[in-house]
């Protein structure tokens, strides 16, 4: 793929331009909060933070706060009888990229996703958060990172993405200060940041009281990043290196990687063989020492298994999915373009079994991380192949359980753990916590796929029953269908985002 080709047709997922807001209808609002409160009665409460399952319970909400769990129904409140149903805290997607006006916020809510962390500092996400706070847009709670801070040269071409490039400690510190001034809630670090620049970046961010999240920089071992205080690491590209008996040789190869500006495909081509070598020289002892460090430092891991599945099974991944009706046509086309030009370019069919084995190794890695006490969080990397806003959080939960994580622990990774990471009073069904709830028709502890059997959602205290939820989905599908096929691509990184 030439740079000119990529410049003309971005590898980023297409989204409707913000200017389409006036053309396309906004999603329907939720049922207004009852002035006197709402009591959800006769429901089984599953609270992953405490591992408690309480049947035949009442959850009372006033405004946007849970005021009581298990008590009597107060006089004068609206009563919603949820007999036979189950309620869990609203879910979290901790790795997203804003894509399309009239699409993303509603899809999250309709899927019971009430907390979202955006990892590219998109202005569209800032706009959504302001409108949600003002009550003019229905959507989840947003935490928004900085623009991507990468090395010099970046693997991203600035013509594709508003990326910040740093070469040394002074430029890294300056970049952190600028991003905080622009309103970033945390700093997003990328793969090619040099070691000294990385160390300065983390120190400067902490000096200003903000977290650092993102990639494991190629030049910095995860153990060192954990010691320095990186709060979360995304994906599973870097984790295998320190679990390998060939770590020294692999790191020497990483140091020899030389890439030009915008040569993301070159980075991917260089890193994958090293991943493969690490996976096949796995040392349980080295893994145990690394995972113990990550657990002690509470360095959250966001595996983005849904993204990795699309990558590792790129030849057979189903892009003709019914959920495509909720994406603009251009977005679906760009996913196919990325699949062919990034994932499958120069990959022979005979290599597919190797890639499949790599995904199985990733699943085992997630299980081992969990067993070692490393905190996990669900994230999907929206904008990548076969990933849909909102829907794919449920895919991620299913993949966690496939990896061997118990359903309750998987739910923790999507509720109480993100809340603890963010320092918010969300992710629990308890008094004085935010009224963000997902109402289910069946028990997710019996089958994690039951998180997909939604019959209602409460976000920020606003209740959508099943009729309202389906109406919201229908409006989003209509918006997607009306979005011009030539809509300007959104600033949304592909799977290395």
């Amino acid at each position: 793929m030439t740079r000119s080709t990529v410049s003309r047709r971005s590898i980023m997922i297409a989204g409707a331009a913000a200017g389409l807001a006036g053309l396309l209808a906004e999603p329907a609002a939720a049922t207004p909060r009852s002035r006197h409160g709402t009591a959800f009665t006769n429901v089984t409460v599953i609270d992953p933070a405490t591992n408690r399952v309480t049947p035949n319970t009442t959850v009372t909400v006033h405004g946007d706060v849970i005021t009581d769990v298990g008590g009597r129904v107060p006089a004068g409140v609206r009563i919603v009888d949820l007999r036979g149903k189950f309620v869990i805290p609203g879910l979290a997607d901790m790795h997203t990229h804003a894509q399309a006006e009239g699409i993303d916020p509603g899809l999250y809510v309709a899927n019971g996703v009430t907390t979202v962390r955006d990892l590219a500092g998109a202005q569209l996400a800032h706009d959504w958060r302001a409108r949600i706070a003002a009550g003019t847009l229905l959507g989840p709670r947003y935490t928004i990172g900085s623009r991507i801070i990468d090395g010099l040269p970046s693997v991203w071409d600035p013509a594709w993405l508003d990326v910040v490039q740093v070469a040394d400690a002074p430029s890294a510190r300056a970049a952190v200060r600028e991003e905080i001034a622009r309103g970033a809630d945390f700093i997003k670090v990328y793969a090619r940041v040099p070691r000294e620049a990385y160390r300065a970046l983390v120190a400067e961010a902490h000096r200003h009281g903000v977290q650092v999240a993102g990639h494991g920089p190629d030049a910095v071992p995860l153990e060192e990043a954990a010691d320095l205080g990186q709060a979360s690491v995304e994906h599973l590209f870097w984790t295998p290196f320190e679990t390998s008996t060939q770590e020294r040789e692999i790191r020497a190869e990483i140091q020899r990687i030389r890439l030009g500006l915008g040569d993301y495909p070159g980075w991917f081509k260089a890193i994958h063989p090293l991943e493969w070598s690490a996976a096949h020289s796995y040392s349980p002892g080295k893994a145990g020492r690394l995972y113990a460090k990550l657990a002690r430092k509470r360095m959250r891991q966001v595996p983005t298994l849904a993204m990795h599945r699309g990558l590792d099974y790129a030849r057979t991944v189903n892009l003709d999915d019914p959920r495509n009706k909720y994406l603009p046509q251009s977005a679906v086309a760009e996913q196919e373009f990325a699949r062919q030009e990034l994932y499958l370019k120069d990959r022979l069919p005979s290599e597919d079994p190797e890639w499949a084995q790599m995904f199985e190794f990733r699943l085992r890695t997630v299980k081992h991380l969990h067993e070692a006490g490393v905190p996990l969080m669900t994230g999907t990397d929206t904008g990548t192949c076969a990933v849909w806003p909102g829907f794919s959080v449920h895919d991620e939960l299913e993949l966690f359980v496939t990896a061997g994580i118990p359903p309750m622990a998987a739910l923790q990774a999507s509720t109480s753990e993100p809340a603890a990471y963010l320092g918010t009073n969300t992710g629990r069904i308890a008094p004085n916590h935010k009224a963000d709830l997902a109402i289910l028709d069946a028990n997710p502890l019996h089958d994690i796929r039951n998180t997909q059997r939604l019959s209602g959602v409460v976000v920020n205290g606003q209740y959508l029953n099943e009729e309202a939820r389906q109406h919201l989905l229908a409006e989003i599908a209509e918006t997607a269908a009306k979005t011009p096929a030539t809509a300007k691509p959104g600033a949304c990184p592909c799977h290395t985002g």
Side-chain angles (χ1 to χ4, degrees):
M1 179 188 343
T2 64
R3 282 184 56 191
S4 59
T5 300
V6 177
S7 297
R8 290 195 302 268
R9 189 174 185 190
S10 168
I11 62 176
M12 305 169 196
I13 185 170
L20 291 170
L23 174 64
L24 302 175
E26 290 282 358
T31 302
R33 302 188 192 109
S34 171
R35 186 163 58 93
H36 301 291
T38 302
F40 298 94
T41 63
N42 302 308
V43 67
T44 296
V45 171
I46 299 173
D47 186 24
T50 58
N51 291 308
R52 290 178 181 169
V53 179
T54 311
N56 195 31
T57 300
T58 295
V59 179
T60 303
V61 172
H62 286 86
D64 65 347
V65 175
I66 298 169
T67 54
D68 187 64
V69 178
R72 294 182 178 180
V73 177
V77 300
R78 174 179 58 180
I79 296 175
V80 178
D81 189 345
L82 297 181
R83 193 178 306 274
K85 299 189 184 298
F86 300 79
V87 63
I88 60 174
L91 302 172
D93 191 335
M94 296 297 283
H95 192 125
T96 72
H97 300 288
Q99 297 179 67
E101 178 65 44
I103 303 291
D104 299 33
L107 279 185
Y108 288 122
V109 170
N111 280 281
V113 178
T114 57
T115 294
V116 165
R117 187 179 63 149
D118 184 277
L119 273 90
Q123 185 57 48
L124 194 54
H126 283 283
D127 292 344
W128 288 338
R129 180 164 67 178
R131 289 154 58 194
I132 291 166
T136 60
L137 178 67
L138 180 65
R141 302 175 193 276
Y142 269 89
T143 298
I144 304 171
S146 68
R147 293 175 296 176
I148 286 173
I149 299 180
D150 200 8
L152 180 68
S154 172
V155 294
W156 287 105
D157 189 328
W160 315 337
L161 180 71
D162 189 11
V163 62
V164 180
Q165 301 178 74
V166 299
D168 51 26
S171 60
R173 288 191 289 267
V176 169
R177 292 192 295 269
E178 180 180 358
E179 293 308 301
I180 292 173
R182 288 168 60 98
D185 297 322
F186 62 93
I187 298 301
K188 166 68 179 292
V189 68
Y190 215 67
R192 299 300 292 170
V193 174
R195 183 170 181 267
E196 290 309 311
Y198 172 83
R199 293 176 69 90
L201 178 150
V202 175
E204 187 69 13
H206 290 170
R207 191 172 74 84
H208 289 274
V210 301
Q211 294 179 328
V212 174
H215 287 205
D218 294 345
V220 181
L222 279 186
E223 184 173 358
E224 180 179 353
D227 280 332
L228 291 171
Q230 182 166 329
S232 79
V233 65
E234 316 300 306
H235 317 306
L236 293 170
F237 294 113
W238 300 272
T239 309
F241 297 152
E242 281 157 273
T243 69
S244 167
T245 59
Q246 298 178 12
E247 181 183 2
R248 181 177 298 179
E249 294 83 355
I250 289 170
R251 294 210 174 278
E253 287 296 323
I254 290 173
Q255 291 301 317
R256 285 191 280 270
I257 295 174
R258 296 291 182 269
L259 300 169
L261 180 64
D263 189 15
Y264 160 69
W267 177 87
F268 185 74
K269 184 176 182 180
I271 286 293
H272 177 69
L274 303 181
E275 281 191 284
W276 179 250
S277 294
H280 285 77
S281 54
Y282 173 77
S283 164
K286 292 196 69 179
R289 289 189 291 274
L290 172 64
Y291 298 164
K293 168 64 70 69
L294 301 182
R296 286 197 307 273
K297 296 292 184 177
R298 301 295 294 168
M299 187 185 198
R300 272 75 170 191
Q301 304 285 291
V302 186
T304 63
L305 287 170
M307 176 280 293
H308 280 295
R309 180 171 60 182
L311 167 67
D312 294 337
Y313 290 98
R315 202 174 311 276
T316 56
V317 66
N318 179 24
L319 290 185
D320 186 22
D321 190 284
R323 294 172 289 187
N324 283 344
K325 69 180 180 181
Y326 300 110
L327 295 179
Q329 179 184 345
S330 52
V332 177
E334 288 296 333
Q335 286 201 33
E336 176 60 22
F337 175 80
R339 185 173 77 100
Q340 295 295 338
E341 295 299 320
L342 292 183
Y343 294 178
L344 292 177
K345 192 173 181 64
D346 300 324
R347 187 194 300 186
L348 299 174
S350 60
E351 296 172 340
D352 288 352
E354 172 184 314
W355 286 83
Q357 290 179 48
M358 195 69 221
F359 186 72
E360 293 304 313
F361 178 80
R362 301 191 204 282
L363 291 176
R364 291 194 297 274
T365 297
V366 170
K367 180 183 181 184
H368 294 155
L369 287 165
H370 167 70
E371 291 173 342
V374 179
L376 303 175
M377 300 192 298
T378 52
T380 64
D381 204 359
T382 47
T384 57
C385 291
V387 173
W388 297 266
F391 290 103
S392 287
V393 172
H394 302 282
D395 297 339
E396 191 76 2
L397 286 167
E398 186 174 350
L399 287 168
F400 270 40
V401 173
T402 299
I405 296 177
M408 185 69 89
L411 291 175
Q412 289 167 356
S414 200
T415 57
S416 55
E417 192 59 51
Y421 171 88
L422 295 170
T424 56
N425 60 341
T426 58
R428 282 205 61 191
I429 302 178
N432 302 317
H433 284 70
K434 292 297 184 182
D436 293 343
L437 308 170
I439 301 164
L440 311 176
D441 283 334
N443 191 341
L445 302 179
H446 294 167
D447 186 337
I448 196 64
R449 292 173 295 182
N450 287 336
T451 62
Q452 302 171 47
R453 296 181 61 182
L454 284 153
S455 66
V457 176
V458 180
V459 57
N460 201 26
Q462 299 181 77
Y463 171 52
L464 282 77
N465 61 18
E466 181 59 9
E467 181 181 2
R469 198 178 73 86
Q470 291 299 329
H471 182 65
L472 175 60
L473 286 169
E475 285 195 336
I476 294 169
E478 183 179 359
T479 295
K482 288 181 178 179
T483 301
T486 55
K488 182 181 178 181
C492 171
C494 255
H495 76 274
T496 57

